Amino acid sequence: MPTSEKERIVRAFLLLLHRESKKPESAIIPPKAWETLGELQASLAQANDDIKIIARGITTWCQKHQYSSILQALRPVLSDAFSEDEDPDEDETETQILRIPNLSLRFVEETISQSQEQHQQQSS
């Protein structure tokens, strides 16, 4: 099933958030980014499951706050290097991110919230 560039960006971002939330300290996602995820979620509230608007919201949020490390991590997606078979040890959330047929705004928001909570547990 071919996916659009925008969909690959959203999936890659969610995977990155999920994976980095398991680490006490992320080299890719700065501490300030975890604090401003609520702002990202608020900006996505009007997306109405439009994957283009969700992808644009993510990249705009990264640019606004100068999260170049996050944009850098998403760069391979732009060159189509994103592999859906990347990690044989992926957990249930990663499987959902990679394989769910249609990314909804609700799924994106839930994944962001879960990642933020996981990060808070890891860093405390």
Side-chain angles (χ1 to χ4, degrees), residues 79-124:
S79 64
D80 206 20
F82 181 63
S83 168
E84 293 191 6
D85 300 318
E86 185 179 311
D87 186 357
D89 298 328
E90 64 193 33
D91 62 23
E92 184 180 339
T93 301
E94 289 184 24
T95 301
Q96 284 183 315
I97 292 168
L98 291 170
R99 312 242 187 292
I100 193 169
N102 296 312
L103 288 172
S104 67
L105 178 59
R106 182 174 169 218
F107 178 77
V108 170
E109 289 178 332
E110 285 174 1
T111 305
I112 290 172
S113 293
Q114 289 170 358
S115 296
Q116 195 170 24
E117 288 172 22
Q118 175 73 24
H119 171 72
Q120 287 172 345
Q121 290 173 0
Q122 290 296 322
S123 59
S124 55

Side-chain angles (χ1 to χ4, degrees), residues 4-6 16 25 28 30 41 48 52 54 58 63 76 78-79 89 93 97 99 103 110 112 114 120-121:
S4 71
E5 177 185 6
K6 303 298 184 197
L16 177 69
E25 201 170 299
I28 299 172
Q41 287 179 292
N48 268 351
K52 293 175 192 166
I54 294 170
I58 290 168
Q63 292 166 345
L78 301 174
S79 64
D89 298 328
T93 301
I97 292 168
R99 312 242 187 292
L103 288 172
E110 285 174 1
I112 290 172
Q114 289 170 358
Q120 287 172 345
Q121 290 173 0

Side-chain angles (χ1 to χ4, degrees), residues 68-79:
S68 56
S69 58
I70 298 173
L71 287 171
Q72 202 66 15
L74 296 177
R75 192 159 311 244
V77 175
L78 301 174
S79 64

Side-chain angles (χ1 to χ4, degrees), residues 13-58:
F13 177 75
L14 294 176
L15 268 178
L16 177 69
L17 261 188
H18 176 71
R19 289 177 179 167
E20 294 300 305
S21 73
K22 296 178 180 180
K23 301 174 183 176
E25 201 170 299
S26 171
I28 299 172
I29 302 178
K32 186 72 175 162
W34 292 107
E35 296 171 19
T36 61
L37 276 173
E39 179 184 318
L40 171 61
Q41 287 179 292
S43 74
L44 297 179
Q46 303 302 317
N48 268 351
D49 293 343
D50 186 331
I51 203 70
K52 293 175 192 166
I53 295 173
I54 294 170
R56 188 177 325 122
I58 290 168

